Amino acid sequence: VGAGITCTMTQEPLGVVAGITPFNFPAMVPLWMIPLAITVGNCFILKPSEQTPLSTFKIAEYLKEAGLPDGVFNIVNGAREVVEGICDHPDIKAVAFVGSSQVAKIVYSRSTANGKRALCFGGAKNHMIVVPDADQDSTAKGLLASSMGSAGQRCMAASVAVAVADVDPIIDQLVEEARNYKPGVDMGTIVSKVALERITGYIDEAEKMGAKILIDGRNVTPPEGYEHGYWLGVTILDGVDPNWPSATDEIFGPVLSIIRTDTLENAMKIENENQYGNAAAVFTTSGQVAKTISESASAGMIGINIGVPVPREPYSFGGWNESKYGHGDITGRSGVDFWTNLKKITARWPESTEAWKKYF
């Protein structure tokens, strides 16, 4: 960097760090955090969802079998009290969280108030914009897979389709494809009775407000042998107003709300007025339309003819707006940066004429 001066930079571990993870991906989300956090030299504490804790025990078994020293990876189970303890403990230097936006904001505020680094991912209301020139078959299948995969219980579920102008042939095929979706084969159950009641409440409310129910999953027949599960079938609502709860709230279930609009400009307005900013997608065969949406959408992850636009490493995962509290993303290069501190070393060594220092 100058005559006789060198500057080097290293990434140093923070010490003890923690992750708080949700029920819906009990192995994948912890594995966004654990490998990066411990590889860069930290000890890691995981607080899994109290609804799905078993996967993390398996992760612990595999890490021990691989030779990870005791104490490098740790699990604490519990609910609110444990989360608060993690946020407050002075020896925990960083906290990563994935869950609802309401709790993400609380965890972020409490952790940072205690001097911790925090990155907290919240909810989503991802929009898929469908235009008339979209490929009918792949778009219909993409809309269905994105909205109904994991029974809609994922932050990357695109739960709103913004139909621009006349896209009825695509919607018609979507409905036909959806009729063939089988519970227990194409889609699992809702995680709990409380969640099922909350989701069906949104459907009931939308119906009362005037939504047309193209497919109603409230009375779906459970698969044989699993009658006691919390089942809800594919549900598609048409004619939804952008301001209705079914269009604005994260339902977190197999419910797709279709909003009708005449222009691409209005479609973008609907998308960008949404409080979240996790992901957005457009289905089109026009490069110009794709470019317009990808440049204008207020979201951290954009799909072009892809309904679940999850980036793969080295690209990082993360949204904007009310979908994320904190700086950076949780995977890829951003993940390494989150779990480390930068150390910069600037050095200058005066030349020596002492004979004993000469080695060549």
Side-chain angles (χ1 to χ4, degrees):
V1 295
I5 300 174
T6 63
C7 192
T8 58
M9 184 168 65
T10 60
Q11 291 188 270
E12 304 292 329
L14 303 177
V16 179
V17 299
I20 302 165
T21 56
F23 76 85
N24 56 335
F25 289 103
M28 184 187 77
V29 174
L31 291 173
W32 286 351
M33 306 175 186
I34 298 165
L36 292 180
I38 65 176
T39 298
V40 298
N42 298 298
C43 290
F44 192 88
I45 298 170
L46 177 64
K47 205 301 284 185
S49 168
E50 62 275 19
Q51 297 183 85
T52 53
L54 300 182
S55 298
T56 55
F57 297 155
K58 231 21 182 175
I59 292 173
E61 289 177 18
Y62 290 144
L63 289 172
K64 187 173 181 62
E65 183 180 335
L68 190 72
D70 290 344
V72 175
F73 176 67
N74 312 272
I75 299 172
V76 290
N77 286 292
R80 176 175 176 172
E81 299 80 8
V82 175
V83 173
E84 291 174 345
I86 289 172
C87 296
D88 295 344
H89 200 289
D91 292 337
I92 296 175
K93 303 302 180 184
V95 176
F97 170 91
V98 178
S100 71
S101 287
Q102 180 183 3
V103 179
K105 191 171 185 177
I106 294 169
V107 171
Y108 179 78
S109 299
R110 189 159 181 158
S111 297
T112 54
N114 284 301
K116 303 183 193 306
R117 182 178 300 182
L119 181 58
C120 301
F121 285 7
K125 194 69 175 177
N126 305 322
H127 291 61
M128 297 179 289
I129 297 172
V130 183
V131 300
D133 71 3
D135 177 76
Q136 179 176 320
D137 186 65
S138 63
T139 300
K141 289 181 168 66
L143 292 172
L144 185 63
S146 176
S147 57
M148 303 301 160
S150 303
Q153 298 169 108
R154 57 181 177 181
C155 67
M156 291 301 288
S159 55
V160 175
V162 184
V164 180
D166 182 12
V167 293
D168 283 348
I170 295 172
I171 302 302
D172 291 344
Q173 183 176 338
L174 164 67
V175 171
E176 288 306 308
E177 298 276 353
R179 294 191 195 283
N180 296 320
Y181 244 51
K182 296 181 180 178
V185 177
D186 301 300
M187 192 167 65
T189 63
I190 304 304
V191 68
S192 68
K193 182 180 180 181
V194 171
L196 177 62
E197 290 173 348
R198 177 181 52 78
I199 297 164
T200 54
Y202 277 105
I203 301 169
D204 296 342
E205 182 182 41
E207 184 177 28
K208 291 175 182 176
M209 296 178 85
K212 180 180 179 181
I213 301 182
L214 302 183
I215 294 188
D216 191 342
R218 288 173 290 187
N219 296 311
V220 69
T221 301
E224 186 177 353
Y226 297 92
E227 291 82 5
H228 299 295
Y230 303 113
W231 295 97
L232 179 64
V234 170
T235 300
I236 301 176
L237 310 174
D238 198 3
V240 173
D241 185 275
N243 297 312
W244 291 355
S246 57
T248 60
D249 295 358
E250 183 180 40
I251 297 176
F252 224 62
V255 181
L256 177 64
S257 298
I258 300 173
I259 300 174
R260 301 279 183 162
T261 189
D262 293 330
T263 67
L264 199 60
E265 182 180 5
N266 286 339
M268 287 306 306
K269 186 173 183 289
I270 292 167
E271 200 290 321
N272 288 340
E273 287 182 350
N274 146 51
Q275 65 175 316
Y276 301 107
N278 207 45
V282 59
F283 287 86
T284 180
T285 54
S286 166
Q288 182 181 10
V289 170
K291 185 173 185 290
T292 298
I293 299 301
S294 61
E295 291 179 349
S296 304
S298 181
M301 294 171 282
I302 307 296
I304 298 172
N305 298 315
I306 294 176
V308 185
V310 177
R312 303 312 309 160
E313 286 72 9
Y315 303 101
S316 57
F317 182 99
W320 291 2
N321 308 329
E322 295 293 313
S323 292
K324 183 179 72 175
Y325 299 91
H327 177 71
D329 289 341
I330 201 62
T331 60
R333 182 72 211 183
S334 286
V336 175
D337 292 340
F338 178 72
W339 300 114
T340 58
N341 276 328
L342 287 176
K343 179 180 285 186
K344 286 73 64 178
I345 305 166
T346 306
R348 179 172 61 189
W349 299 100
E351 292 187 12
S352 174
T353 58
E354 296 177 75
W356 66 270
K357 289 187 176 178
K358 304 297 181 183
Y359 59 91
F360 60 85

